[in-house]
Every structure is written in C-alpha cells, then in structure tokens.
Amino acid sequence: MEISEYGEFGLIKHLTENFPIKHKSTLYGVGDDCAVIDATDGKTVVTTDLLLEGIHFDLTYCPMRHLGYKACVVNFSDVYAMMGVPRQMTVSLGISKRFKVEDLEELYAGMKMACDVYGVDLVGGDTSASMTGLTISITCIGVAQQPVYRNGARPNDLICVSGDLGAAYMGLQLLEREKAIYYQQIQNGDKNAEFQPKFEGKEYLLERQLKPEARKDVVEALQQAGITPTSMMDISDGLSSELLHICTQSKVGCRIYEERIPIDYQTAIQAEEFNLNVSTVAMNGGEDYELLFTVPLEQNEMIQQIPGIRLIGHITAESLGCAMITRDGNSEVTLKAQGWNAFTK
Amino acid sequence: MEISEYGEFGLIKHLTENFPIKHKSTLYGVGDDCAVIDATDGKTVVTTDLLLEGIHFDLTYCPMRHLGYKACVVNFSDVYAMMGVPRQMTVSLGISKRFKVEDLEELYAGMKMACDVYGVDLVGGDTSASMTGLTISITCIGVAQQPVYRNGARPNDLICVSGDLGAAYMGLQLLEREKAIYYQQIQNGDKNAEFQPKFEGKEYLLERQLKPEARKDVVEALQQAGITPTSMMDISDGLSSELLHICTQSKVGCRIYEERIPIDYQTAIQAEEFNLNVSTVAMNGGEDYELLFTVPLEQNEMIQQIPGIRLIGHITAESLGCAMITRDGNSEVTLKAQGWNAFTK
C-alpha cells in the first residue's frame, strides 16, 4: 500500500494507535503541538540519536522490524548509562517513495516491541517525505534520581564492564562479507541469487549486531545492591574510545588488563577466521551497548557478586595516562580512540 | 575547512562551545550520554521537528544562518502553542560532504541567535555524516504550568488569530519564481547568472518565509491579562487545516468570517500579482507560525485589548460543521484541509 493513500496525519495515526500509554508521568502523548510529561519525581534525562540509511544501517541485511527495535534500544541505552529509567520517546521519520505502508508497519512493530520490553511510551514525533533514503530520529526522555556522569571517576576506582565486547562488530563484518558475495553473484548474472546466507553457529554475533539490548538489568542490579558508580557510560563507539572519554572528562588516567576484557567464544572464533586481533576487535568494535563504569575500590566485593560484570582495571592519576597491559603482562599499549568515526569513512 | 579535519567530537565541541547555559533548570548540557534537566516546576512539554533538504528547505535561497534560526523557531512555536516556555533543545545533524565547517558555523550562528532571543539552552544532539543532503532534527523541551490543548474548544467560544496570514507562503512563491528564472538563465548559457533578485517592497514576505518568529509575546500578553485559552495551536499548515484539527479534537464546529481574516497589504498585492485568491492564500498557505486559539465568549473585552489579536469567528455545535462565511455574507464555504502535505507532492 502506498503511503500517499494515508497522508501524513492518517499515517501517524495508523502507525501509533497500537502504542498504549503505560506511564502515569505521560500526561498527553501523540496528537497535539507537544507531548506533556509530569517529570517532577526526579531529574529528567534526555538523549537523541539520528540514524541515516547508508550510514548507520543497511536495509540489505537489516530487517525493518529489527531496525525499529535497535533504533529505540540505542537511545534507551544512553538513559541507562546515566543510571536513569527511560519513560517517553519521540520518533521522527523521513521516508522516501520506495517504502510502502507495510515497511513502516514492520518498523513500528519493532519499536512497539522495544517499548513493551523496556516500558517506554511513544509520545510524539514528526513524519515527512524524504528525497532519498530512510531517516530515523529518536529522542528519549527518562528519569534519574541521581544521574551518573562520565566525569566522576577517581584514582583507585575499579573499572567495570558488563557483558562481552566485539560481538556486534563481528556480526557486522559477517553481514558485510555475505552482502559482498551476494552482489558479486548478481554481477555475475546469477538470477537466482538471494541474500540468505548460512549463519549457523554465528547466531550470537548476528543478534548482537541486529537486535542489541540495553542493560536495564545491570542498572537494576546496581541499584538493588546499593552501588552508585562514580562514572558511567554506554559502549557504542568501542571500549577504548569510551574509556578515554571517562578519563578525559574525569581528569584521570587508567590501566586495564587485556586478559580481563570479556570476549565471547563466537567473537574469538570469528576474529580468527577474519584474521583480526580479537583484543583490537573488543577494544574498538563498537555497537556493544554494554555499560562501562567505575566504582570505589571498597565496593570490590559487592561488585563481584553481580553476575555478568567484569573488573577490567583501575583508574590512576592523570599523569600516568591511559594504557592497556598486554596479555603477557610485560608491556603497556597506550589507548587510542579508533572507534567509529562517520566523518572519515 | 573540511569537516573531517575536526572529527565528530571535535566538530560538536567547536560548534556548541559558544552556547552558554542560561537556565537553572539545565543541570547538564552537551557532553554526556544524556542532558540532565530539573523539570520539577511545572509540566514538561516536548516537541520535535525533522527538516530535510529538498523537502523543507532549499539552500538555493535559504541562507544557512536563516535556516538555523528558523529550524529552532518552528519548534519553539509548538511549545508556545501549549502556553509553555521553551527552555532546552537538542539538535541532530546529518551532513553530506559538500558542506564545510564554515557552513555549519553559519547554521549554528543562526541557532545561537534563536537561543538568545527566546532564552533556550542547547543541551545535546547527535552529529553524523549523511549520504545525501542536510538533515536537521530538533527536539525542544519546555515547561507549562497549565498546558493548553487542541481539544478544549466549546460552543460559543471566540476564535482568535495572532498577526496576519499567508505572507510566508507568498514569500515562498516569490523565491521559487526567482529560482526558476535563475535556472532558466543558467540553462540558456548565461555564465553571469546570479541568484540576486530584486525584492524591494516585498521584504515582509521574504522575512516571514526565511526568518519567522514564534509568538512568545502573545503567550506573555495572554498570561499577563489572565486569559487561559480553551484551546490553542500554532498555524504551520494553514489556518483551514489547523482549525479543523481544533474542531475535530474538540468535537465542535465553527464559523469564521472571510472579511475578518488578517492579511498584510504586501500579501494582498502579491496574491494579485500571482493571480491567486488572497483568502485562499491566507487560509491554506502555511508556515505562518501564528497562534490560533479559542477563548470563552465572556472574555471578549479582555481579548480585544491585546494588540495584534483578531477575532475571526466562533465555535458552534459539532452538527453545524466547519465553514467560512464569505465576504458578501451570503454563502458558507465548508473548510477543507488543503494544507501542506509532503506525501502528495
């Protein structure tokens, strides 16, 4: 079905009518000049992400439903990274003519799933035609009783990471390789070419790339344990880059241990297959959406009792710089921000 | 200067460092996973707009500085339309390679001017490369003690409009005409062709199109007079379309008087030059960013004392439908939403 059959207001109504309001704090959602929120029960945290086709996602291998889910989750992740709880979001779309109503229904089905899983209300947005591809702009609003910033790390604090790193990047490399093979088949005149590669044994890597989750569970576990990190952020551009953000903003240095960086075995196998150094992959891969945070040394035992959290090093004085101690323990590698930089690609 | 010389984080820092924080309610601005706001002193209102090159703006005749100003103002206008005060905004940009750092400096100079004039803090955003043109996504957050919705109009309420209508649309038509002439000159091989048309006597039309203002002053005047409208919205898609929104959402009808629609003399002259019906221009032109609101009949005298507000008609029972009484007073024209619809263009 063509989008023009609905018109702008009809389309918005059609796509958003299955999003019930869940939060008392959402006083008014879609349908007026503004959404109205009661944000008097804590501090309001706000984050926004712009996703552009061809830059941030590739519809060759990213299904619309997954894209909708991921577009939400990457914003929720920023709210959790403040020790906040996401509650409302707005979604703006720029849509070119090649998209049908059914495509957008899939996109919104993914967004609805994310809203259900994370308990977030869709409260507004803006929908427009686009001359080119698909544009998705999401703003998420949450509440935090005591926001945790990037600038609070102190010398001797322990550096912690949730989950494991590098898997989403390996998933992306896999998808890009298969896409290249697929296009080669088409170029060779293979009319039966289909993008349906076999990914057995690599499901985890693909899931981390296509359907990441935000670490709501980690934030809740920390709160239940009574732990307030001294600094925190989510890992979207790679551990190395993010750790440098925390150290720069906190005016401290750090030492992390290569052998302590959490890596899934599928990531390790895939890195070897691609002839990549698995530590480099884990340090610079990006799109992990895990939490990087620091806690005071005396909370060592408390933090060890939370499953899925790995201590990877400690904060030092600023003068000592930021470095990783290699697996053999003999040398230090200065950390560099080799993370994803859209402007140099 | 090339954007890649800065990189993403350097660019954001460079562009945002001249935006001082003005509000106590802005606890933390640019530079962390989220901005942090204290929104405990009223209800929080949120609006967002997505502006795409080639759809919402044309850089042939829209200078970057004006574009930056306008992109902010259209969001502020939505906050005022709730009887709110805009306080914070986030700005996300998608930038293609043809833009230089100097272009973005101009864009941000315009945004800074808007922030200064309207007292708004820039608190965050997202900056990315784009495969195609320029994408601007702005989210504005404000506070309202008593938000005014579209759904509160009651039979016998008076319908009021601020300022005058149709000028921005005439400005757009003028610019489009001159652009067509300019392209014709280029096609004819005129190497000296420049887009510098003469616009003497039409400055008001151009200003309304290129540098619109939000009606902060009207909201303040209403508050000072102790008037709380029963319904309100801003006129971005044309009076006809917006009045239908208010009537549909309020479950009422309306009668407005053609002779009472406020029109500037430049708009009238230009409509005649283009052989357009000036009432049609004023009813459906769009991008006016004036306020449309309703007040109870007994506030008639109070509202008449506010300069620049025009009573254009009254709300009726829903069964009477929505119509305009023509200048001669003899016939009724049913209102239709002929406003701007991006999906049918």
Side-chain angles (χ1 to χ4, degrees), chain B residues 204-218:
Chain B
Y204 180 65
L205 306 180
L206 297 179
E207 192 176 316
R208 293 284 283 176
Q209 171 56 227
L210 295 175
K211 190 168 172 289
E213 300 291 348
R215 297 311 302 262
K216 181 183 197 236
D217 57 333
V218 171

Side-chain angles (χ1 to χ4, degrees), chain A residues 156-160 227-230 293-297 299-300 303:
Chain A
N156 300 320
D157 282 358
L158 301 171
I159 302 171
C160 310
I227 298 171
T228 302
T230 50
F293 58 96
T294 55
V295 296
L297 182 59
Q299 297 191 345
N300 190 357
I303 206 80

Side-chain angles (χ1 to χ4, degrees), chain A residues 28 31-37 44-47 49-50 52 56 78 126 128-129 132 137 139 150 233-234 249, chain B residues 28 31-37 44-47 49-50 52 56 78 126 128-129 132 137 139 149-150 233-234 249:
Chain A
Y28 200 96
D32 215 293
D33 297 289
C34 291
V36 183
I37 295 168
T44 300
V45 292
V46 182
T47 182
D49 259 300
L50 180 64
L52 301 169
H56 301 98
D78 278 320
D126 191 15
S128 160
T132 50
S137 176
T139 298
R150 298 176 179 176
M233 68 183 295
D234 73 332
Q249 294 197 24
Chain B
Y28 199 95
D32 215 291
D33 296 290
C34 292
V36 183
I37 295 168
T44 300
V45 293
V46 182
T47 183
D49 260 300
L50 180 64
L52 301 168
H56 301 98
D78 278 321
D126 190 16
S128 161
T132 50
S137 176
T139 299
Y149 297 93
R150 298 176 179 177
M233 68 185 294
D234 73 333
Q249 295 196 24

Side-chain angles (χ1 to χ4, degrees), chain A residues 3-4 7-9 11 27-28 31-56 78-79 81-82 90-95 97 123-133 135 137 139 141 147-151 232-234 237 241 245 249 340-345, chain B residues 3-4 7-9 11 27-28 31-56 78-79 81-82 90-95 97 123-133 135 137 139 141 147-151 232-234 237 241 245 249 340-345:
Chain A
I3 289 165
S4 57
E8 182 180 351
F9 301 116
L11 181 68
L27 303 177
Y28 200 96
D32 215 293
D33 297 289
C34 291
V36 183
I37 295 168
D38 179 345
T40 54
D41 59 337
K43 298 195 171 82
T44 300
V45 292
V46 182
T47 182
T48 191
D49 259 300
L50 180 64
L51 301 178
L52 301 169
E53 188 176 351
I55 302 283
H56 301 98
D78 278 320
V79 173
M82 304 296 289
T90 63
V91 176
S92 293
L93 293 183
I95 313 158
K97 290 214 168 142
V123 298
D126 191 15
T127 306
S128 160
S130 148
M131 296 291 278
T132 50
T135 301
S137 176
T139 298
I141 296 168
V148 175
Y149 296 93
R150 298 176 179 176
N151 62 10
M232 188 183 247
M233 68 183 295
D234 73 332
D237 289 343
S241 165
H245 278 301
Q249 294 197 24
W340 189 83
N341 187 335
F343 292 111
T344 55
K345 276 200 176 162
Chain B
I3 288 165
S4 57
E8 182 181 351
F9 301 115
L11 180 68
L27 304 178
Y28 199 95
D32 215 291
D33 296 290
C34 292
V36 183
I37 295 168
D38 180 344
T40 54
D41 60 337
K43 297 195 172 80
T44 300
V45 293
V46 182
T47 183
T48 189
D49 260 300
L50 180 64
L51 301 178
L52 301 168
E53 188 176 352
I55 301 283
H56 301 98
D78 278 321
V79 172
M82 304 296 289
T90 62
V91 176
S92 292
L93 293 184
I95 313 157
K97 291 213 167 140
V123 298
D126 190 16
T127 306
S128 161
S130 147
M131 297 291 278
T132 50
T135 301
S137 176
T139 299
I141 295 167
V148 175
Y149 297 93
R150 298 176 179 177
N151 63 10
M232 190 184 245
M233 68 185 294
D234 73 333
D237 288 344
S241 165
H245 279 301
Q249 295 196 24
W340 189 83
N341 186 335
F343 292 112
T344 55
K345 276 196 178 162

